Amino acid sequence: QVQLVESGGGLVQAGGSLRLSCAASGSISSISSIITMGWYRQAPGKQRELVAAIGRGDTTDYTDSVKGRFTISRDNAKNTVSLQMNSLKPEDTAVYYCHALSRPHYNYWGQGTQVTVSS
C-alpha cells in the first residue's frame, strides 16, 4: 500500500503561480514499486484528466493545455512529486489529485487539493 498526501492548493489570481507537492509513504517494497507519479485534475461537471506525469527516469508527459506553464518534478530520495504551476488561468480551476502507478499495475490516489484561479 502507498499513501499519498498532497499540499499546496489554494486561491490565486489569473497569471499567478502555485506549487503543489505530494509525499508518498508506505513500506519500502511498495515505494520501490512505484513506476510513475503524476497529477490529475477534475473540474466540476468534467471527467478527471491527466495534467502531468513523470517516470523514474524523469521522463515527463503533459497535457497540451499546460505545456510551457506547468513543470512536474520528482525527488525519488524523498518520495515526493511536485507540480509548479505558472501563468495560471481560470480554466485551471479544479481539484488536483496526486497519482502513483506501481508494479504490477496498482493505482494510488491522494485525497485531492483545490486550486481556484480567479479572473
Side-chain angles (χ1 to χ4, degrees), residues 1-7 20-25 31 34 36-43 46-53 72 81 94-102 105-113:
Q1 287 285 343
V2 173
Q3 293 79 44
L4 302 173
V5 178
E6 303 118 333
S7 60
L20 305 182
S21 296
C22 173
S25 62
I31 296 297
I34 293 176
T36 63
M37 296 188 74
W39 294 90
Y40 284 70
R41 66 186 179 188
Q42 188 167 18
K46 294 187 177 181
Q47 289 189 330
R48 189 173 296 189
E49 65 170 353
L50 173 68
V51 177
I72 190 169
V81 62
V95 177
Y96 284 69
Y97 296 90
C98 181
H99 172 261
L101 174 67
S102 70
H105 197 77
Y106 296 125
N107 288 281
Y108 297 98
W109 297 93
Q111 79 281 3
T113 185

